[in-house]
Amino acid sequence: MALTGETTQLKRLDELIDKQQAIFLARQPRSGELGASARRSLAGGATSSWQIAEPRAVWMSHGKGSRVFDADGNQYVDLHGGYGVNAVGHAHPKIVEAVSSRVARGTHFAQPTEESIEVAEELARRFGLPLWRFCNSGTEATMDAVHLMRAATGRDLIVKIEGCYHGHHDSVQVSVLNGWDEIGPELRPASVASSSGIPQALVDLTLIVPFNDLDAVRLRFDEHPDRIAGVIVEPIMMNAGIVPPDSGYLEGLRELTRRHGAVLAFDEVKTGVTVAPGGATELMGVTPDLVCLAKAMGGGLPCGAIGGTEDVMGTIVRGEYEQVGTFNGNPLTMAAARAALVEVLQDEAYRHFARLREGMVSGCTAVTSRYDLSAYTVAFGAKGCVTFSSRRVRNYRDFLSVDDRYGYCHWLYQHNGGVFLPPWGKAEQWMLSVQHSEEDAQLFVDNFATFAEEIRG
Ligand SMILES: Cc1ncc(COP(=O)(O)O)c(C=O)c1O
């Protein structure tokens, strides 16, 4: 595209953002009022900092099937999925039944209940890892993974991928969404705290490498012989749109970690049970030493799990690593997780995701070429996204180069067009559920086409 054409398009993009933001704000006065009153007692006016997004947080009323309803009564096809949780959709009868029957029999004992065995066995079958423990969030799962790496090896350093988000504990809140001015050279990126409150002493224990770059990992192992406990990685990076691993990348990590006596942990908090029954571990055919799960495995309840080899989980078995938590294996969560995994997310669910996904990818790809947009669509299982770039994003730095305004403007079009997506436009994905229909999926494609047409003018 000629520079003048590009400048015109960006000017148009800014105008469309202003217009769509005005529509957004006018549709949700009640969210505005609730936000204002919340600021008196909730820090920042919401229950998590990531619920506050431009133009303003959307307050929710309820969900049913594939739909959510905001506090103003607007209805949306829910492709936000509660940040990738709701693979079962809202109020699925099997989940309602499992949770209702458990509630009536007591919801917390801090002692194991029978469902936890069934959930662990199902996860062991899906991920090919024998031993499991439960926790309450993705953050706790990756925190356990980092502790287990260190416990199993007696080493302190860990390797983390630049741009990957693994939750908000100290060891991994490093080099997540930092800007160009902070991130340092490409082969040896700087370790940068991604929030205040993270001690520099801990930041220094987290070595950063770019995704899809085995040489950078090799370099780190060579520079720190016998000091690296392990590598934590999202096998498909999902905090930068969707970035698939290059062919041979995960196999290379597997081989390098083995050669250096380090632990390989896959953070499958987003990919686990959504991209395939056994997550990216199954889809990509590489089995790590540890898998971290949360989100969709719990059928909509707060959840987390960590699974691993006899070797690494042996540190728990032998009492060398204390994996603990008052709510671990909570009966309500276990009942919902059992129903989600054993009764809902079975083979037909994954065939359903595939049908809808294929329609969305081919529909969006057709729109992209019809309007000659610099964009592509990538999807796995229940998840997918449009990335506004003419070249494929392979790592965080490629992602940083993508103009945020396209993703944001597209997100506004989807929202005002009745499709609820996670905020932050370019970073997140759509999430399908077993209760979504072809019409639901088509609405996303239609909104994308409207956006593309208006961008082109
Ligand atoms: C890949 C990944 N790991 C870990 C987490 C943290 O999970 P939670 O928010 O449940 O603590 C997230 C959250 O979005 C995530 O995307």
Side-chain angles (χ1 to χ4, degrees), residues 17-323:
I17 287 175
D18 287 345
K19 198 170 130 203
Q20 291 297 318
Q21 282 188 152
I23 297 171
F24 181 107
L25 292 170
R27 290 177 78 209
Q28 282 140 206
R30 183 72 187 133
S31 274
E33 288 162 16
L34 287 168
S37 69
R39 274 187 282 280
R40 293 198 291 271
S41 54
L42 285 170
T47 56
S48 155
S49 297
W50 285 1
Q51 292 166 4
I52 310 165
E54 293 297 320
R56 75 166 159 234
V58 181
W59 287 69
M60 281 297 164
S61 160
H62 61 284
K64 181 132 190 60
S66 63
R67 306 289 163 125
V68 283
F69 301 78
D70 71 16
D72 285 280
N74 298 306
Q75 181 182 153
Y76 309 83
V77 170
D78 182 16
L79 292 179
H80 183 311
Y83 276 128
V85 165
N86 292 319
V88 295
H90 295 283
H92 190 290
K94 295 282 188 197
I95 306 293
V96 172
E97 186 191 319
V99 170
S100 310
S101 109
R102 184 70 252 183
V103 163
R105 293 183 299 127
T107 59
H108 183 67
F109 315 110
Q111 289 297 124
T113 52
E114 208 169 322
E115 283 107 337
S116 59
I117 302 175
E118 216 175 328
V119 178
E121 281 176 355
E122 176 67 10
L123 294 176
R125 186 185 70 73
R126 289 180 180 224
F127 289 86
L129 288 168
L131 291 174
W132 290 79
R133 273 287 175 95
F134 298 109
C135 50
N136 305 288
S137 67
T139 295
E140 288 185 34
T142 63
M143 185 182 70
D144 275 326
V146 171
H147 290 164
L148 281 163
M149 286 174 176
R150 290 175 170 154
T153 60
R155 304 172 182 175
D156 284 345
L157 297 176
I158 63 161
V159 172
K160 174 192 173 286
I161 308 299
E162 188 170 42
C164 268
Y165 178 66
H166 299 295
H168 59 279
H169 59 94
D170 295 356
S171 294
V172 294
Q173 262 286 41
V174 181
S175 302
V176 180
L177 286 171
N178 299 78
W180 286 111
D181 53 332
E182 304 170 286
I183 58 181
E186 196 162 350
L187 188 60
R188 198 186 280 102
S191 299
V192 191
S194 294
S195 168
S196 57
I198 312 288
Q200 190 58 42
L202 284 171
V203 171
D204 292 342
L205 295 179
T206 301
L207 309 174
I208 302 299
V209 294
F211 193 59
N212 276 326
D213 187 340
L214 288 172
D215 284 341
V217 182
R218 239 174 250 123
L219 185 69
R220 295 304 197 171
F221 275 117
D222 291 345
E223 284 175 342
H224 303 280
D226 301 327
R227 292 194 55 214
I228 295 176
V231 176
I232 183 162
V233 59
E234 275 186 279
I236 302 170
M237 193 174 163
M238 287 209 180
N239 193 41
I242 294 182
V243 187
D246 286 352
S247 159
Y249 176 64
L250 297 176
E251 290 82 350
L253 287 181
R254 183 61 290 185
E255 193 274 315
L256 276 171
T257 44
R258 277 217 177 100
R259 183 168 357 129
H260 291 276
V263 175
L264 179 62
F266 281 178
D267 176 353
E268 293 231 43
V269 165
K270 275 189 163 175
T271 52
V273 317
T274 60
V275 300
T281 296
E282 175 189 333
L283 195 67
M284 302 295 166
V286 175
T287 306
D289 302 296
L290 288 173
V291 162
C292 308
L293 297 178
K295 296 197 191 256
M297 65 148 281
L301 270 78
C303 64
I306 178 127
T309 57
E310 305 263 4
D311 207 17
V312 178
M313 298 300 272
T315 59
I316 299 177
V317 177
R318 292 187 296 276
E320 295 159 11
Y321 173 59
E322 298 243 25
Q323 197 273 346

Side-chain angles (χ1 to χ4, degrees), residues 212 237 240-244 360-369 372-380 384-395 398-399 402 406 410 426 428 430 444 448:
N212 276 326
M237 193 174 163
I242 294 182
V243 187
M360 290 172 86
V361 172
S362 64
C364 291
T365 305
V367 168
T368 304
S369 60
D372 192 23
L373 274 192
S374 295
Y376 63 90
T377 307
V378 56
F380 294 95
C385 70
V386 179
T387 296
F388 292 94
S389 168
S390 51
R391 70 187 175 114
R392 294 264 157 179
V393 169
R394 286 186 59 243
N395 57 36
D398 292 348
F399 168 78
V402 176
Y406 284 98
H410 174 231
K426 73 174 188 174
E428 289 289 333
W430 75 58
F444 179 94
F448 179 52

